[in-house]
Amino acid sequence: MAIFMMIYHHFFAFPERIFDEQMYWNVIIGGHSVQQSIGLLCKICVSFFAFLSGYGLTKKYEKISFSEIIKKIAGIMMTYWIILIFIYVPLSFVNGICDVKEVLKNMFLIETSMIHPSWYVKFYVEVIIFWGIYSRVAKQIENVYFEVAAICFSLVLLNIYIKESIFLHYVPSFMWGYIIAKYSIYDRGKRKFPKMQYLINFILLTILGLLRIIFGDEIKGLSLTSFIVPILVYFLVNMFHYINERKLRKIKNTFLIVGRYSTYLWLLHAIFQLPNVSFLQRISYWPRLSILIVMWTIILLLPLSIVLDMIIKKINLRLFVK
């Protein structure tokens, strides 16, 4: 779901990235593009990824060592470098929009001009280091309220020294994932409200969603998205359980496959928006209907994602497994 929203956001929220708006059916209501409005709402995907990263890492590592942090960073950087060097550099070079200096800046994330979604790689590296340090310092804390207060205090201190930072904007979503995983908040909610959990979830999601639409992403510096995402994830998890219980295997397997290769889909889908490569964009926008365009793009990129995954796993085995 997160990768679907990300592709929709990048494909339709930025009209300047579309070479020819006649390539898709653009519905206009009240002078506003419906596709662009939905695309802007889909920006929530970033907080979605941040939350899932925090939740997944906490579930996997009770406490993470320095060597494991290095391995996680090396793993994401290896994936990024291979896709940059073997996919984006040749495409950019052929179109005369690439030079060595630009490649080097992109390799070390000084710039993200060649793969525009790759700014999240830098955020991921920063947040893993932050989480690694914090989780070791706070490993003795076993009170959820005290820990939430400690995290808020840490972020307030960081905000004093770092102004208007992407890191500070999205790290709350990551830390919500950490808190919910560490204290099993979802399981507690199921036990405490066995019959009311879906109604409470729906009411909270509706209220926060309306606030997000009315006020935008922030209210006086407070990110609404970081509160919406945990509730949305809980709703989607229950939906997935429903699919699993009804034995809807095709739908379940589709989610699992797309989720498994989401990192590659995240870094690869930007090839359809490279400057001077309009023929690629025409291929991805071929279905013309926005939802079908996103689904078609995922289908186009999955074979390449599978091949890259096989190559990168072999490289990682040689580098990190003795």
Side-chain angles (χ1 to χ4, degrees):
M1 185 62 72
I3 193 62
F4 184 94
M5 289 190 291
M6 176 173 282
I7 295 173
Y8 200 107
H9 174 62
H10 289 152
F11 274 32
F12 298 102
F14 307 95
E16 66 275 9
R17 294 179 184 174
I18 302 171
F19 297 115
D20 181 3
E21 291 191 9
Q22 300 301 316
M23 288 190 295
Y24 70 100
W25 292 319
N26 190 16
V27 180
I28 305 295
I29 297 179
H32 299 282
S33 166
V34 172
Q35 283 78 8
Q36 185 178 5
S37 299
I38 295 172
L40 290 170
L41 287 174
C42 283
K43 188 181 179 182
I44 196 174
C45 65
V46 181
S47 294
F48 212 123
F49 273 114
F51 175 86
L52 293 175
S53 296
Y55 187 92
L57 286 168
T58 305
K59 283 292 186 183
K60 186 174 181 179
Y61 302 101
E62 186 175 339
K63 62 178 182 179
I64 192 166
S65 65
F66 179 74
S67 61
E68 286 166 335
I69 290 174
I70 296 298
K71 284 182 181 179
K72 293 296 295 183
I73 293 173
I76 189 66
M77 290 304 297
M78 179 67 67
T79 301
Y80 169 64
W81 283 335
I82 287 174
I83 291 174
L84 174 68
I85 293 168
F86 294 103
I87 305 294
Y88 284 89
V89 169
L91 282 172
S92 299
F93 183 77
V94 166
N95 287 279
I97 52 174
C98 173
D99 59 42
V100 175
K101 186 177 180 181
E102 184 181 16
V103 172
L104 290 173
K105 284 184 177 180
N106 277 263
M107 280 188 68
F108 295 102
L109 297 170
I110 298 169
E111 291 182 0
T112 57
S113 57
M114 297 182 71
I115 311 179
H116 60 76
S118 64
W119 66 265
Y120 189 84
V121 176
K122 184 178 180 180
F123 167 77
Y124 186 78
V125 170
E126 291 172 343
V127 81
I128 281 188
I129 295 170
F130 172 79
W131 170 72
I133 296 169
Y134 174 83
S135 61
R136 293 182 73 82
V137 172
K139 62 183 178 181
Q140 302 301 326
I141 301 176
E142 293 297 336
N143 183 288
V144 61
Y145 302 107
F146 183 77
E147 186 148 16
V148 168
I151 290 170
C152 292
F153 180 71
S154 301
L155 294 177
V156 168
L157 282 180
L158 285 172
N159 193 50
I160 293 172
Y161 299 101
I162 307 172
K163 299 294 183 181
E164 298 182 2
S165 166
I166 289 177
F167 173 80
L168 288 177
H169 185 77
Y170 291 113
V171 75
S173 296
F174 181 95
M175 295 309 290
W176 272 124
Y178 160 78
I179 288 290
I180 288 172
K182 180 178 178 179
Y183 294 98
S184 303
I185 303 297
Y186 288 154
D187 293 332
R188 286 185 181 186
K190 285 182 180 180
R191 289 194 298 268
K192 195 168 185 178
F193 306 104
K195 295 181 180 179
M196 297 288 289
Q197 56 176 313
Y198 300 114
L199 178 61
I200 293 171
N201 184 268
F202 176 76
I203 292 171
L204 288 173
L205 197 58
T206 301
I207 292 170
L208 288 169
L210 288 172
L211 288 172
R212 170 69 173 80
I213 292 170
I214 295 168
F215 295 103
D217 189 34
E218 293 184 0
I219 297 180
K220 294 184 177 180
L222 182 67
S223 175
L224 287 171
T225 304
S226 62
F227 292 94
I228 293 172
V229 166
I231 301 168
L232 180 60
V233 169
Y234 185 72
F235 172 80
L236 292 173
V237 166
N238 284 318
M239 184 182 74
F240 191 79
H241 283 319
Y242 176 85
I243 291 170
N244 195 35
E245 288 171 1
R246 297 298 184 278
K247 297 181 179 179
L248 303 174
R249 291 183 179 178
K250 289 184 179 179
I251 298 175
K252 176 186 172 182
N253 290 338
T254 300
F255 277 114
L256 289 174
I257 291 169
V258 173
R260 179 179 176 182
Y261 298 104
S262 60
T263 300
Y264 302 98
L265 295 171
W266 151 46
L267 289 171
L268 287 171
H269 75 275
I271 65 173
F272 297 113
Q273 294 184 318
L274 287 173
N276 303 326
V277 196
S278 60
F279 75 93
L280 285 176
Q281 192 172 91
R282 292 184 185 281
I283 293 171
S284 65
Y285 281 72
W286 171 72
R288 296 181 66 81
L289 185 65
S290 59
I291 294 175
L292 293 180
I293 288 170
V294 176
M295 294 171 67
W296 172 240
T297 299
I298 291 171
I299 292 169
L300 288 173
L301 294 176
L302 269 176
L304 180 57
S305 299
I306 293 168
V307 172
L308 285 169
D309 184 62
M310 292 169 61
I311 293 169
I312 290 168
K313 278 182 177 177
K314 287 184 178 180
I315 293 172
N316 286 337
L317 281 172
R318 292 191 177 187
L319 288 176
F320 301 119
V321 179
K322 295 180 180 179

